Amino acid sequence: MTNVDVVVAGAGIWGSTLARRFAEKGMRTLVLERRSAVGGNVRCETDPESGIEVHTYGSHIFHTSIPEVWQFVNRFVTFNGYQHKVLARHKGKTYFLPLGLALINGFFGTELKPSEVPGFMADEAHSSRLFDAFFRGYTSKQWGRSPEDIDPSIIKRVPVRASYDVNYFNDCNQGIPLGGYNSLFDRLLDHPLITVKCSQRVCFKGGAFMVGPDALPNIPVYYSGPIDELFGYKFGELPWRTLRFETEKMNIADYQGTSVVNYTDAEVPYTRIHEFKHYHPEQKDVMALEKTIVMREYSAAWKRGDEPYYPVDNAASRLLLEAYQAEAAKIKNLVVGGRLGAYRYFDMDKSIAAALSIEI
Ligand code: UDP
């Protein structure tokens, strides 16, 4: 591990973006990834039988309004123009999210015009019926607590509109990479100054960065694994939500007619069903096949050994995070980031933006 100028620990979206930047600056960059493959939770697997790109860690749709981020990713991949829509199933009926005219009129059997929406929703009886139907059950399954006990910013991720626009995101750029997500990482990391080593876990022990029994040379380390894990959980574990997925292959062309259906009732044990072939409508041959792959998603409290997905933001976790951040700040040459390192509910574009904004 000599002849290296910088180490990037974690080859997710934050680490891979940084690695590329370092290499383009002429720095010899060693990327150490703890899994057997790069890409973090954006990693996909293509089913060899059907050619369907399966999002191994749940659906990822790239969307951004940050011009620098859009420009950056488009240097490496071309996007297919997919526009994300999410349907919601409640008591046996299917509705269009987000919170807009399609959902409101579909649910209440009304024919409201855009100008009538604010007045209608100001009536507590309406807003709470809608909230109970589409947010209470889903949120309690997703977060293991009632919506009143989670940070309001989480639910505010879902757009509210007084129109029939059913695009799930407000961003002006959106899509799925044409060659699949893995090609984004393959191309980001394909540089003569980047060396990638997988199945390598970095920790900080006895005043040094270690990979197994070996100490890393005294060079800058950009770490995007869980910050508590880096320090051997010495102050305790940061709380996460983890996910479990059940994947099913079916010999039919189409199961649900769309990529994601949320199941908003508390009685249904899973939160949503993903059907991946819908992310690539341009793959006409795959779309036409009498084969599809669906994945049911279940949310649970994280315990050590599980994959962390969603940070649980509350007063206690903020305190614990501060303790770990103070520990990290004592280490010269260490920068921590990404969803796991920063312990933030980042979308992919925010992770890239964070990596692009670091001064190197
Ligand atoms: N949410 C909900 N019902 C839905 C969709 C979302 O209650 O049908 C709430 C839930 O608390 C969720 C949050 O809104 O965690 C953010 O939703 P988003 O779709 O952005 O979640 P993600 O796709 O990142 O898991």
Side-chain angles (χ1 to χ4, degrees):
M1 293 193 194
T2 49
N3 301 329
V4 173
D5 299 309
V6 61
V7 167
V8 173
I13 205 146
W14 185 83
S16 301
T17 301
L18 270 171
R20 184 73 193 194
R21 290 188 63 214
F22 290 132
E24 288 181 356
K25 249 200 130 189
M27 295 164 76
R28 293 161 304 178
T29 306
L30 175 62
V31 178
L32 300 172
E33 165 55 47
R34 67 168 149 163
R35 287 191 184 144
S36 57
V38 299
N41 281 2
V42 192
R43 183 89 199 159
C44 292
E45 275 162 51
T46 299
D47 174 54
E49 200 191 342
S50 60
I52 296 170
E53 182 190 30
V54 175
H55 299 203
T56 315
Y57 303 95
S59 286
H60 282 76
I61 301 94
F62 197 88
H63 56 99
T64 190
S65 296
I66 309 170
E68 297 74 24
V69 170
W70 189 238
Q71 261 166 27
F72 181 77
V73 287
N74 275 277
R75 282 180 52 203
F76 305 98
V77 284
T78 303
F79 287 82
N80 68 354
Y82 169 84
Q83 301 286 302
H84 196 41
K85 293 179 187 62
V86 178
L87 286 101
R89 191 122 175 108
H90 165 64
K91 296 214 184 302
K93 283 193 74 182
T94 306
Y95 301 88
F96 272 104
L97 287 171
L99 207 51
L101 269 181
L103 183 71
I104 296 168
N105 281 338
F107 182 65
F108 291 103
T110 47
E111 279 297 330
L112 297 179
K113 296 267 179 288
S115 59
E116 296 167 316
V117 170
F120 186 82
M121 291 304 288
D123 182 335
E124 169 78 25
H126 296 144
S127 52
S128 47
R129 262 188 73 194
L130 210 55
F131 190 81
D132 289 348
F134 296 101
F135 291 89
R136 187 168 296 286
Y138 187 97
T139 296
S140 55
K141 289 190 287 186
Q142 168 70 6
W143 295 97
R145 63 201 66 206
S146 75
E148 288 77 17
D149 295 331
I150 63 164
D151 194 281
S153 67
I154 291 180
I155 291 175
K156 285 191 187 142
R157 288 169 54 87
V158 181
V160 179
R161 301 189 188 113
S163 76
Y164 280 104
D165 178 0
V166 289
N167 198 320
Y168 199 58
F169 303 118
N170 285 328
D171 292 316
C172 46
N173 301 297
Q174 198 179 144
I176 309 283
L178 273 173
Y181 275 105
N182 294 355
S183 64
L184 170 62
F185 292 92
D186 292 345
R187 290 176 197 163
L188 273 171
L189 296 168
D190 179 20
H191 190 285
L193 292 180
I194 298 179
T195 305
V196 179
K197 290 188 180 173
C198 289
S199 309
Q200 307 278 314
R201 193 181 286 264
V202 174
C203 65
F204 190 77
K205 245 194 252 152
F209 287 100
M210 306 293 294
V211 183
D214 303 319
L216 287 179
N218 191 19
I219 52 174
V221 174
Y222 289 74
Y223 174 87
S224 57
I227 189 167
D228 50 357
E229 186 192 301
L230 179 67
F231 297 109
Y233 303 101
K234 65 196 251 187
F235 303 126
E237 291 163 356
L238 284 163
W240 290 90
R241 297 296 290 174
T242 191
L243 300 177
R244 180 172 67 79
F245 298 107
E246 265 174 24
T247 306
E248 191 181 344
K249 291 189 190 184
M250 297 173 173
N251 289 321
I252 52 171
D254 197 350
Y255 173 69
Q256 60 183 15
T258 191
S259 43
V260 177
V261 179
N262 289 356
Y263 285 75
T264 63
D265 299 330
E267 305 76 68
V268 179
Y270 40 86
T271 50
R272 50 190 166 185
I273 300 183
H274 311 259
E275 185 172 10
F276 298 108
K277 70 192 301 191
H278 293 288
Y279 286 126
H280 286 285
E282 79 283 3
Q283 295 178 349
K284 303 283 181 226
D285 47 342
V286 176
M287 290 302 286
L289 277 183
E290 289 289 317
K291 291 199 182 300
T292 193
I293 300 179
V294 301
M295 196 160 96
R296 290 178 181 77
E297 177 177 324
Y298 299 80
S299 174
W302 173 91
K303 57 185 185 331
R304 226 183 272 190
D306 294 337
E307 288 295 343
Y309 285 86
Y310 295 92
V312 179
D313 179 34
N314 57 33
S317 69
R318 268 175 240 153
L319 267 182
L320 199 51
L321 177 64
E322 278 169 23
Y324 281 117
Q325 284 171 336
E327 204 64 8
K330 288 184 205 156
I331 303 169
K332 198 168 125 293
N333 281 344
L334 169 66
V335 177
V336 181
R339 193 189 267 220
L340 301 181
Y343 195 68
R344 293 270 304 276
Y345 189 171
F346 276 141
D347 285 328
M348 289 184 276
D349 66 326
K350 304 296 183 310
S351 234
I352 295 181
L356 292 178
S357 69
I358 289 175
E359 218 171 296
I360 60 175

